Structures are given as structure tokens and as C-alpha cells.
Amino acid sequence: MEYKHYTLEDFSDITASNAAAPGGGSISAMSSSFGAALVSMAARLTENKKGYEEVQEEMKEVIKLSEPLRLELLDDIEKDSRSFDLYMQALKLPKSTEEEKQERRNAMQEALKKACEVPLSVAQKSIKVLELAKIVCEKANRNAASDALSGAFAARSGCMGAVQNVLINSKGVKDEAFVQDMQDKCSLIVDKAHKIEEECMRLANI
């Protein structure tokens, strides 16, 4: 059964156990998914509300964009754990001969790259959630301002956690160009996440 189908209690229990997965990457995806959910909530609480006639179309567009992100990030909870499983499987490959050792090294490298690419995707989607959170923090129903801002915080947390997973997994990658590309992308994402979060806090004006 995929993690997204677990009860919250069961998912929390397995995360708190000594199992290697789900770990920080999966929890980051979950955090950003809930961030997207709160963005959708704030937008829906603005639909058809008196005093917000001018932003109705904008709120509909927010929902149109936030809902696919929410669902994709839910799926990324599983994807992150699966990418880690690939690395664990590679570690178990035979290494009796030089040929087997080389095949094992290649499999480990490919698995590590995948373990970087999945959380990088989560971080990129988290930025998109933050951008939508900025809109609802500024324009959504003021009664949902704290929900909108909580969504921004959740997405920012998911983004930062995903970035850390990219960076730690990239440490074992031998492809220097790949590692540099990951680091450059993560640096830009972190800067953007901080800036948008600050703008969300200012616009929410709680």
C-alpha cells in the first residue's frame, strides 16, 4: 500500500520507527502537499464571497494550479522512498568479481542520481506552491489569512527539507558536473524560497 493511503497515525508510526524509509525526503513532499492543500483551502474560502468579487477568477486559477501540485506531491512521498530503495538494492548486488563490482558501482551511482532528482523535483514544486501561497496571502479571504500563511510555511519547510536531501545524496555521486548542477539549482531554490516566504509574511499582515 502506498504511503499516501496510510492513516496519519500509521504513517507517523512508521516514520518514527527504525525503518530507513519514509525519511526526510518523503516527509518534505508531504509537507509541501499539505501546503498546497492550505492554498487551495484559502482560495476556496474566497470563492463567491462578498467583497472579493474582483479576485474570483484569480482564485479559480490558483485552485486549478494548486490541486495538481497537491496530488503530485502526495505521489512524491512514495517516489522518494522508492528512489532510496533502489540505492539499497544496488548495495546488495554481488561483488565477487571485478565485473560484478563495476556493475554494482554503476547501479549505485544511477540510484544516487535518482535519489537527487526526486527531491529536486519536490523542491521545484514547492516553489510553485509558495508562489501560489503568495497570491492567497495577499488577496484571499482575510479570515483565511493564517491558513494561507501556514500553507506558505509548510511549502517552505518541504522545500528546504527536499534541498537537504538533494545535497546529501549528491555527496556520493562521482559525476562532478551532475553534482555542480544539483548544487547550483538548490542554491537558487533556497534563495527564492526565503524571499517568497518573507513576501508571504508581509502580505498576510497578521
Side-chain angles (χ1 to χ4, degrees), residues 123-190:
Q124 291 168 334
K125 291 171 190 174
S126 300
I127 290 294
K128 292 180 181 179
V129 175
L130 275 165
E131 289 171 340
L132 296 173
K134 179 183 170 183
I135 295 172
V136 292
C137 281
E138 179 181 11
K139 300 180 179 181
N141 190 328
R142 296 312 299 165
N143 292 326
S146 63
D147 303 299
L149 189 54
S150 293
F153 290 154
R156 187 261 185 185
S157 177
C159 181
M160 297 302 292
V163 162
Q164 294 309 307
N165 274 266
V166 175
L167 295 177
I168 196 167
N169 290 335
S170 70
K171 287 183 179 295
V173 177
K174 306 301 182 185
D175 184 341
E176 293 182 3
F178 178 89
V179 173
Q180 189 62 55
D181 182 53
M182 290 294 108
Q183 291 177 344
D184 291 345
K185 287 177 178 176
C186 284
S187 180
L188 290 172
I189 287 170
V190 168

Short mmCIF file of all heavy atoms in Angstrom, two decimals, residues 123-190:
data_model
loop_
_atom_site.label_atom_id
_atom_site.label_comp_id
_atom_site.label_asym_id
_atom_site.label_seq_id
_atom_site.Cartn_x
_atom_site.Cartn_y
_atom_site.Cartn_z
N ALA A 123 11.39 20.01 -4.46
CA ALA A 123 11.77 21.39 -4.13
C ALA A 123 11.23 22.37 -5.18
O ALA A 123 10.73 23.45 -4.84
CB ALA A 123 13.29 21.51 -4.02
N GLN A 124 11.31 21.99 -6.44
CA GLN A 124 10.82 22.85 -7.52
C GLN A 124 9.30 23.02 -7.44
O GLN A 124 8.78 24.12 -7.64
CB GLN A 124 11.24 22.28 -8.87
CG GLN A 124 12.74 22.36 -9.11
CD GLN A 124 13.22 21.54 -10.30
OE1 GLN A 124 12.59 20.54 -10.66
NE2 GLN A 124 14.33 21.93 -10.90
N LYS A 125 8.60 21.94 -7.15
CA LYS A 125 7.15 22.03 -6.99
C LYS A 125 6.79 22.86 -5.76
O LYS A 125 5.79 23.59 -5.76
CB LYS A 125 6.55 20.63 -6.88
CG LYS A 125 6.61 19.82 -8.16
CD LYS A 125 6.19 18.38 -7.93
CE LYS A 125 6.48 17.52 -9.15
NZ LYS A 125 6.21 16.09 -8.91
N SER A 126 7.61 22.75 -4.74
CA SER A 126 7.36 23.52 -3.51
C SER A 126 7.45 25.02 -3.79
O SER A 126 6.68 25.81 -3.21
CB SER A 126 8.37 23.13 -2.43
OG SER A 126 8.28 21.75 -2.12
N ILE A 127 8.36 25.41 -4.66
CA ILE A 127 8.47 26.82 -5.04
C ILE A 127 7.18 27.27 -5.74
O ILE A 127 6.67 28.38 -5.50
CB ILE A 127 9.68 27.05 -5.96
CG1 ILE A 127 10.99 26.91 -5.18
CG2 ILE A 127 9.61 28.43 -6.62
CD1 ILE A 127 11.21 27.95 -4.12
N LYS A 128 6.63 26.41 -6.57
CA LYS A 128 5.37 26.74 -7.24
C LYS A 128 4.24 26.91 -6.23
O LYS A 128 3.39 27.80 -6.36
CB LYS A 128 5.01 25.65 -8.25
CG LYS A 128 5.96 25.58 -9.44
CD LYS A 128 5.55 24.47 -10.40
CE LYS A 128 6.51 24.38 -11.58
NZ LYS A 128 6.14 23.29 -12.51
N VAL A 129 4.24 26.06 -5.19
CA VAL A 129 3.23 26.19 -4.13
C VAL A 129 3.42 27.51 -3.41
O VAL A 129 2.45 28.22 -3.10
CB VAL A 129 3.32 25.01 -3.14
CG1 VAL A 129 2.34 25.22 -1.97
CG2 VAL A 129 3.01 23.69 -3.83
N LEU A 130 4.66 27.86 -3.12
CA LEU A 130 4.94 29.13 -2.45
C LEU A 130 4.47 30.32 -3.28
O LEU A 130 3.94 31.30 -2.73
CB LEU A 130 6.45 29.25 -2.18
CG LEU A 130 6.96 28.60 -0.90
CD1 LEU A 130 8.48 28.47 -0.94
CD2 LEU A 130 6.53 29.40 0.32
N GLU A 131 4.67 30.24 -4.58
CA GLU A 131 4.22 31.34 -5.45
C GLU A 131 2.70 31.49 -5.40
O GLU A 131 2.18 32.61 -5.42
CB GLU A 131 4.70 31.08 -6.87
CG GLU A 131 6.23 31.25 -7.01
CD GLU A 131 6.75 30.79 -8.36
OE1 GLU A 131 6.05 29.99 -9.03
OE2 GLU A 131 7.87 31.20 -8.73
N LEU A 132 1.99 30.37 -5.31
CA LEU A 132 0.54 30.42 -5.18
C LEU A 132 0.14 30.91 -3.79
O LEU A 132 -0.85 31.64 -3.64
CB LEU A 132 -0.06 29.05 -5.47
CG LEU A 132 0.13 28.52 -6.89
CD1 LEU A 132 -0.35 27.08 -7.00
CD2 LEU A 132 -0.60 29.40 -7.90
N ALA A 133 0.91 30.50 -2.80
CA ALA A 133 0.64 30.95 -1.42
C ALA A 133 0.76 32.46 -1.33
O ALA A 133 0.00 33.12 -0.60
CB ALA A 133 1.61 30.28 -0.45
N LYS A 134 1.70 33.03 -2.07
CA LYS A 134 1.88 34.48 -2.08
C LYS A 134 0.61 35.17 -2.56
O LYS A 134 0.19 36.20 -2.00
CB LYS A 134 3.06 34.84 -2.97
CG LYS A 134 3.32 36.33 -3.07
CD LYS A 134 4.47 36.61 -4.03
CE LYS A 134 4.60 38.09 -4.34
NZ LYS A 134 5.67 38.35 -5.33
N ILE A 135 -0.04 34.59 -3.55
CA ILE A 135 -1.27 35.18 -4.09
C ILE A 135 -2.39 35.16 -3.05
O ILE A 135 -3.07 36.17 -2.84
CB ILE A 135 -1.71 34.43 -5.36
CG1 ILE A 135 -0.68 34.61 -6.48
CG2 ILE A 135 -3.08 34.93 -5.84
CD1 ILE A 135 -0.93 33.75 -7.71
N VAL A 136 -2.57 34.00 -2.40
CA VAL A 136 -3.67 33.92 -1.42
C VAL A 136 -3.36 34.70 -0.15
O VAL A 136 -4.26 35.22 0.51
CB VAL A 136 -4.05 32.46 -1.10
CG1 VAL A 136 -4.69 31.79 -2.30
CG2 VAL A 136 -2.87 31.65 -0.61
N CYS A 137 -2.08 34.81 0.20
CA CYS A 137 -1.72 35.63 1.35
C CYS A 137 -2.09 37.09 1.12
O CYS A 137 -2.49 37.80 2.03
CB CYS A 137 -0.23 35.53 1.65
SG CYS A 137 0.26 34.03 2.53
N GLU A 138 -1.99 37.52 -0.12
CA GLU A 138 -2.28 38.91 -0.45
C GLU A 138 -3.75 39.16 -0.73
O GLU A 138 -4.31 40.18 -0.28
CB GLU A 138 -1.48 39.33 -1.69
CG GLU A 138 -1.73 40.76 -2.12
CD GLU A 138 -0.96 41.15 -3.36
OE1 GLU A 138 -0.38 40.25 -4.01
OE2 GLU A 138 -0.94 42.35 -3.69
N LYS A 139 -4.43 38.22 -1.43
CA LYS A 139 -5.73 38.53 -2.00
C LYS A 139 -6.90 37.67 -1.49
O LYS A 139 -8.05 38.02 -1.76
CB LYS A 139 -5.66 38.42 -3.52
CG LYS A 139 -4.65 39.37 -4.13
CD LYS A 139 -4.60 39.24 -5.65
CE LYS A 139 -3.60 40.21 -6.25
NZ LYS A 139 -3.56 40.11 -7.73
N ALA A 140 -6.61 36.60 -0.80
CA ALA A 140 -7.69 35.70 -0.37
C ALA A 140 -8.44 36.27 0.83
O ALA A 140 -8.04 37.26 1.44
CB ALA A 140 -7.14 34.32 -0.05
N ASN A 141 -9.53 35.62 1.14
CA ASN A 141 -10.37 35.95 2.29
C ASN A 141 -9.51 36.19 3.53
O ASN A 141 -8.73 35.32 3.92
CB ASN A 141 -11.33 34.78 2.52
CG ASN A 141 -12.41 35.09 3.53
OD1 ASN A 141 -12.21 35.85 4.47
ND2 ASN A 141 -13.56 34.47 3.34
N ARG A 142 -9.66 37.35 4.14
CA ARG A 142 -8.81 37.68 5.30
C ARG A 142 -9.04 36.75 6.47
O ARG A 142 -8.17 36.59 7.32
CB ARG A 142 -9.08 39.13 5.74
CG ARG A 142 -8.71 40.19 4.73
CD ARG A 142 -7.32 39.97 4.16
NE ARG A 142 -6.29 40.02 5.18
CZ ARG A 142 -5.04 39.59 5.01
NH1 ARG A 142 -4.68 39.04 3.86
NH2 ARG A 142 -4.16 39.67 5.98
N ASN A 143 -10.20 36.12 6.50
CA ASN A 143 -10.46 35.14 7.57
C ASN A 143 -9.62 33.88 7.39
O ASN A 143 -9.51 33.06 8.30
CB ASN A 143 -11.94 34.76 7.60
CG ASN A 143 -12.82 35.90 8.05
OD1 ASN A 143 -12.42 36.71 8.90
ND2 ASN A 143 -14.02 36.01 7.50
N ALA A 144 -9.04 33.72 6.20
CA ALA A 144 -8.20 32.54 5.92
C ALA A 144 -6.72 32.94 5.81
O ALA A 144 -5.91 32.16 5.32
CB ALA A 144 -8.65 31.87 4.62
N ALA A 145 -6.38 34.13 6.28
CA ALA A 145 -5.00 34.62 6.16
C ALA A 145 -4.00 33.70 6.87
O ALA A 145 -2.92 33.42 6.35
CB ALA A 145 -4.89 36.04 6.70
N SER A 146 -4.38 33.22 8.05
CA SER A 146 -3.46 32.34 8.78
C SER A 146 -3.31 30.99 8.09
O SER A 146 -2.24 30.36 8.13
CB SER A 146 -3.93 32.15 10.23
OG SER A 146 -5.19 31.49 10.26
N ASP A 147 -4.38 30.54 7.43
CA ASP A 147 -4.31 29.28 6.68
C ASP A 147 -3.40 29.43 5.47
O ASP A 147 -2.59 28.55 5.16
CB ASP A 147 -5.72 28.86 6.22
CG ASP A 147 -6.68 28.73 7.38
OD1 ASP A 147 -6.42 27.90 8.27
OD2 ASP A 147 -7.67 29.47 7.42
N ALA A 148 -3.54 30.56 4.78
CA ALA A 148 -2.70 30.83 3.62
C ALA A 148 -1.23 30.90 4.02
O ALA A 148 -0.36 30.32 3.36
CB ALA A 148 -3.13 32.14 2.96
N LEU A 149 -0.97 31.59 5.11
CA LEU A 149 0.41 31.73 5.57
C LEU A 149 0.96 30.39 6.08
O LEU A 149 2.14 30.06 5.86
CB LEU A 149 0.51 32.79 6.65
CG LEU A 149 1.92 33.21 7.08
CD1 LEU A 149 2.76 33.64 5.89
CD2 LEU A 149 1.86 34.32 8.12
N SER A 150 0.11 29.61 6.73
CA SER A 150 0.53 28.28 7.17
C SER A 150 0.89 27.41 5.96
O SER A 150 1.84 26.61 6.02
CB SER A 150 -0.59 27.61 7.97
OG SER A 150 -0.81 28.28 9.19
N GLY A 151 0.15 27.58 4.88
CA GLY A 151 0.46 26.86 3.65
C GLY A 151 1.82 27.26 3.11
O GLY A 151 2.59 26.40 2.65
N ALA A 152 2.13 28.54 3.18
CA ALA A 152 3.45 29.02 2.75
C ALA A 152 4.55 28.42 3.61
O ALA A 152 5.59 27.97 3.10
CB ALA A 152 3.50 30.54 2.81
N PHE A 153 4.34 28.41 4.93
CA PHE A 153 5.34 27.85 5.84
C PHE A 153 5.55 26.35 5.57
O PHE A 153 6.68 25.86 5.58
CB PHE A 153 4.91 28.04 7.29
CG PHE A 153 4.97 29.47 7.77
CD1 PHE A 153 4.15 29.90 8.81
CD2 PHE A 153 5.83 30.39 7.19
CE1 PHE A 153 4.20 31.21 9.26
CE2 PHE A 153 5.89 31.70 7.63
CZ PHE A 153 5.08 32.11 8.68
N ALA A 154 4.46 25.64 5.33
CA ALA A 154 4.56 24.20 5.07
C ALA A 154 5.32 23.93 3.77
O ALA A 154 6.17 23.02 3.71
CB ALA A 154 3.16 23.57 4.99
N ALA A 155 5.04 24.73 2.75
CA ALA A 155 5.73 24.55 1.47
C ALA A 155 7.20 24.92 1.58
O ALA A 155 8.07 24.26 1.00
CB ALA A 155 5.06 25.40 0.39
N ARG A 156 7.48 25.97 2.33
CA ARG A 156 8.88 26.37 2.51
C ARG A 156 9.64 25.29 3.27
O ARG A 156 10.78 24.97 2.95
CB ARG A 156 8.92 27.71 3.24
CG ARG A 156 10.32 28.32 3.35
CD ARG A 156 10.91 28.03 4.70
NE ARG A 156 12.18 28.69 4.90
CZ ARG A 156 12.93 28.50 5.98
NH1 ARG A 156 12.54 27.68 6.94
NH2 ARG A 156 14.09 29.12 6.10
N SER A 157 9.02 24.73 4.30
CA SER A 157 9.65 23.65 5.05
C SER A 157 9.91 22.44 4.16
O SER A 157 11.00 21.85 4.19
CB SER A 157 8.75 23.25 6.23
OG SER A 157 9.31 22.16 6.93
N GLY A 158 8.91 22.08 3.35
CA GLY A 158 9.09 20.96 2.43
C GLY A 158 10.20 21.22 1.43
O GLY A 158 10.99 20.34 1.09
N CYS A 159 10.26 22.45 0.96
CA CYS A 159 11.29 22.85 0.00
C CYS A 159 12.68 22.70 0.60
O CYS A 159 13.58 22.11 -0.01
CB CYS A 159 11.05 24.29 -0.43
SG CYS A 159 12.23 24.90 -1.64
N MET A 160 12.87 23.22 1.80
CA MET A 160 14.18 23.18 2.44
C MET A 160 14.60 21.75 2.78
O MET A 160 15.77 21.38 2.62
CB MET A 160 14.17 24.03 3.71
CG MET A 160 13.90 25.52 3.45
SD MET A 160 15.12 26.26 2.34
CE MET A 160 16.57 26.21 3.37
N GLY A 161 13.64 20.94 3.22
CA GLY A 161 13.96 19.55 3.51
C GLY A 161 14.35 18.79 2.26
O GLY A 161 15.31 17.99 2.25
N ALA A 162 13.64 19.05 1.17
CA ALA A 162 13.95 18.38 -0.10
C ALA A 162 15.33 18.78 -0.59
O ALA A 162 16.11 17.92 -1.05
CB ALA A 162 12.89 18.75 -1.14
N VAL A 163 15.68 20.04 -0.46
CA VAL A 163 17.00 20.52 -0.87
C VAL A 163 18.10 19.80 -0.09
O VAL A 163 19.12 19.38 -0.65
CB VAL A 163 17.12 22.05 -0.68
CG1 VAL A 163 18.58 22.50 -0.68
CG2 VAL A 163 16.36 22.77 -1.77
N GLN A 164 17.89 19.65 1.21
CA GLN A 164 18.90 18.97 2.02
C GLN A 164 19.07 17.52 1.58
O GLN A 164 20.20 16.98 1.61
CB GLN A 164 18.51 19.03 3.50
CG GLN A 164 18.54 20.42 4.10
CD GLN A 164 19.85 21.14 3.83
OE1 GLN A 164 20.94 20.61 4.11
NE2 GLN A 164 19.76 22.35 3.28
N ASN A 165 18.00 16.89 1.14
CA ASN A 165 18.11 15.52 0.65
C ASN A 165 18.88 15.46 -0.67
O ASN A 165 19.65 14.53 -0.90
CB ASN A 165 16.71 14.91 0.47
CG ASN A 165 16.19 14.31 1.75
OD1 ASN A 165 16.33 13.12 2.00
ND2 ASN A 165 15.62 15.14 2.60
N VAL A 166 18.67 16.46 -1.52
CA VAL A 166 19.45 16.52 -2.77
C VAL A 166 20.94 16.64 -2.44
O VAL A 166 21.77 15.89 -2.97
CB VAL A 166 19.03 17.73 -3.63
CG1 VAL A 166 19.94 17.85 -4.86
CG2 VAL A 166 17.58 17.62 -4.07
N LEU A 167 21.27 17.55 -1.54
CA LEU A 167 22.67 17.82 -1.24
C LEU A 167 23.37 16.63 -0.60
O LEU A 167 24.51 16.31 -0.95
CB LEU A 167 22.77 19.05 -0.32
CG LEU A 167 22.29 20.37 -0.95
CD1 LEU A 167 22.36 21.50 0.07
CD2 LEU A 167 23.11 20.72 -2.19
N ILE A 168 22.69 15.95 0.33
CA ILE A 168 23.35 14.83 1.00
C ILE A 168 23.49 13.63 0.06
O ILE A 168 24.50 12.92 0.09
CB ILE A 168 22.62 14.44 2.31
CG1 ILE A 168 23.53 13.56 3.16
CG2 ILE A 168 21.28 13.76 2.02
CD1 ILE A 168 23.05 13.38 4.58
N ASN A 169 22.50 13.41 -0.80
CA ASN A 169 22.59 12.29 -1.73
C ASN A 169 23.62 12.54 -2.81
O ASN A 169 24.24 11.60 -3.33
CB ASN A 169 21.22 12.01 -2.36
CG ASN A 169 20.22 11.45 -1.36
OD1 ASN A 169 20.60 10.84 -0.37
ND2 ASN A 169 18.95 11.65 -1.61
N SER A 170 23.83 13.81 -3.15
CA SER A 170 24.80 14.13 -4.20
C SER A 170 26.24 13.93 -3.74
O SER A 170 27.15 13.84 -4.56
CB SER A 170 24.60 15.58 -4.67
OG SER A 170 25.00 16.50 -3.66
N LYS A 171 26.46 13.85 -2.43
CA LYS A 171 27.82 13.68 -1.91
C LYS A 171 28.46 12.38 -2.38
O LYS A 171 29.69 12.29 -2.48
CB LYS A 171 27.81 13.73 -0.38
CG LYS A 171 27.59 15.11 0.19
CD LYS A 171 27.67 15.10 1.70
CE LYS A 171 27.47 16.50 2.28
NZ LYS A 171 28.54 17.43 1.91
N GLY A 172 27.63 11.36 -2.67
CA GLY A 172 28.19 10.09 -3.11
C GLY A 172 28.30 9.95 -4.62
O GLY A 172 28.79 8.94 -5.13
N VAL A 173 27.86 10.99 -5.35
CA VAL A 173 27.90 10.93 -6.82
C VAL A 173 29.28 11.34 -7.32
O VAL A 173 29.83 12.36 -6.89
CB VAL A 173 26.81 11.85 -7.43
CG1 VAL A 173 26.91 11.85 -8.95
CG2 VAL A 173 25.42 11.41 -6.98
N LYS A 174 29.84 10.55 -8.22
CA LYS A 174 31.17 10.82 -8.76
C LYS A 174 31.16 11.78 -9.95
O LYS A 174 32.18 12.37 -10.29
CB LYS A 174 31.82 9.50 -9.19
CG LYS A 174 31.87 8.43 -8.12
CD LYS A 174 32.63 8.89 -6.89
CE LYS A 174 32.70 7.77 -5.84
NZ LYS A 174 33.35 8.25 -4.58
N ASP A 175 30.03 11.93 -10.58
CA ASP A 175 29.89 12.81 -11.73
C ASP A 175 29.91 14.26 -11.25
O ASP A 175 28.90 14.78 -10.76
CB ASP A 175 28.58 12.49 -12.46
CG ASP A 175 28.38 13.29 -13.73
OD1 ASP A 175 29.04 14.34 -13.89
OD2 ASP A 175 27.55 12.89 -14.56
N GLU A 176 31.05 14.94 -11.40
CA GLU A 176 31.22 16.29 -10.85
C GLU A 176 30.28 17.31 -11.50
O GLU A 176 29.78 18.21 -10.83
CB GLU A 176 32.67 16.72 -11.01
CG GLU A 176 33.64 15.92 -10.14
CD GLU A 176 35.06 16.40 -10.27
OE1 GLU A 176 35.29 17.41 -10.99
OE2 GLU A 176 35.95 15.80 -9.66
N ALA A 177 30.03 17.14 -12.81
CA ALA A 177 29.13 18.07 -13.50
C ALA A 177 27.71 17.94 -12.97
O ALA A 177 27.01 18.95 -12.78
CB ALA A 177 29.16 17.80 -15.00
N PHE A 178 27.30 16.71 -12.70
CA PHE A 178 25.96 16.46 -12.14
C PHE A 178 25.85 17.09 -10.76
O PHE A 178 24.85 17.76 -10.46
CB PHE A 178 25.70 14.95 -12.07
CG PHE A 178 24.38 14.59 -11.46
CD1 PHE A 178 23.25 14.47 -12.25
CD2 PHE A 178 24.25 14.36 -10.09
CE1 PHE A 178 22.02 14.14 -11.69
CE2 PHE A 178 23.04 14.04 -9.52
CZ PHE A 178 21.91 13.91 -10.32
N VAL A 179 26.86 16.88 -9.93
CA VAL A 179 26.85 17.42 -8.57
C VAL A 179 26.79 18.94 -8.60
O VAL A 179 26.01 19.55 -7.85
CB VAL A 179 28.09 16.95 -7.79
CG1 VAL A 179 28.16 17.64 -6.43
CG2 VAL A 179 28.06 15.43 -7.60
N GLN A 180 27.59 19.56 -9.45
CA GLN A 180 27.60 21.02 -9.54
C GLN A 180 26.25 21.55 -9.99
O GLN A 180 25.75 22.57 -9.47
CB GLN A 180 28.68 21.49 -10.51
CG GLN A 180 28.90 23.00 -10.51
CD GLN A 180 29.36 23.52 -9.16
OE1 GLN A 180 30.36 23.04 -8.63
NE2 GLN A 180 28.63 24.47 -8.60
N ASP A 181 25.63 20.85 -10.93
CA ASP A 181 24.31 21.25 -11.42
C ASP A 181 23.28 21.18 -10.29
O ASP A 181 22.46 22.09 -10.13
CB ASP A 181 23.89 20.34 -12.57
CG ASP A 181 22.55 20.74 -13.16
OD1 ASP A 181 22.38 21.91 -13.52
OD2 ASP A 181 21.65 19.86 -13.25
N MET A 182 23.33 20.12 -9.50
CA MET A 182 22.42 19.97 -8.37
C MET A 182 22.63 21.09 -7.35
O MET A 182 21.68 21.70 -6.86
CB MET A 182 22.63 18.61 -7.68
CG MET A 182 22.19 17.40 -8.47
SD MET A 182 20.39 17.30 -8.75
CE MET A 182 20.32 17.71 -10.50
N GLN A 183 23.89 21.38 -7.05
CA GLN A 183 24.19 22.42 -6.06
C GLN A 183 23.74 23.80 -6.54
O GLN A 183 23.19 24.59 -5.76
CB GLN A 183 25.69 22.43 -5.77
CG GLN A 183 26.17 21.20 -5.03
CD GLN A 183 27.67 21.18 -4.82
OE1 GLN A 183 28.42 21.93 -5.46
NE2 GLN A 183 28.14 20.32 -3.94
N ASP A 184 23.97 24.09 -7.81
CA ASP A 184 23.56 25.38 -8.36
C ASP A 184 22.05 25.55 -8.32
O ASP A 184 21.54 26.61 -7.94
CB ASP A 184 24.05 25.52 -9.81
CG ASP A 184 25.56 25.66 -9.91
OD1 ASP A 184 26.20 25.93 -8.88
OD2 ASP A 184 26.10 25.47 -11.02
N LYS A 185 21.34 24.50 -8.71
CA LYS A 185 19.88 24.56 -8.70
C LYS A 185 19.34 24.72 -7.28
O LYS A 185 18.41 25.49 -7.04
CB LYS A 185 19.29 23.32 -9.36
CG LYS A 185 19.46 23.30 -10.88
CD LYS A 185 18.94 22.02 -11.50
CE LYS A 185 19.08 22.07 -13.02
NZ LYS A 185 18.69 20.79 -13.67
N CYS A 186 19.94 24.00 -6.35
CA CYS A 186 19.49 24.08 -4.96
C CYS A 186 19.73 25.46 -4.37
O CYS A 186 18.89 25.99 -3.62
CB CYS A 186 20.20 23.02 -4.11
SG CYS A 186 19.58 21.35 -4.36
N SER A 187 20.86 26.07 -4.71
CA SER A 187 21.17 27.41 -4.20
C SER A 187 20.13 28.42 -4.66
O SER A 187 19.65 29.25 -3.87
CB SER A 187 22.56 27.82 -4.68
OG SER A 187 22.89 29.11 -4.20
N LEU A 188 19.75 28.35 -5.92
CA LEU A 188 18.74 29.26 -6.46
C LEU A 188 17.38 29.03 -5.80
O LEU A 188 16.66 29.98 -5.48
CB LEU A 188 18.62 29.08 -7.97
CG LEU A 188 19.82 29.57 -8.80
CD1 LEU A 188 19.65 29.15 -10.26
CD2 LEU A 188 19.97 31.07 -8.70
N ILE A 189 17.05 27.75 -5.58
CA ILE A 189 15.77 27.40 -4.97
C ILE A 189 15.68 27.92 -3.54
O ILE A 189 14.68 28.50 -3.13
CB ILE A 189 15.56 25.87 -5.00
CG1 ILE A 189 15.24 25.41 -6.43
CG2 ILE A 189 14.44 25.44 -4.05
CD1 ILE A 189 15.26 23.91 -6.61
N VAL A 190 16.76 27.75 -2.78
CA VAL A 190 16.78 28.21 -1.38
C VAL A 190 16.59 29.72 -1.31
O VAL A 190 15.80 30.23 -0.50
CB VAL A 190 18.10 27.79 -0.69
CG1 VAL A 190 18.25 28.51 0.65
CG2 VAL A 190 18.12 26.28 -0.47
#
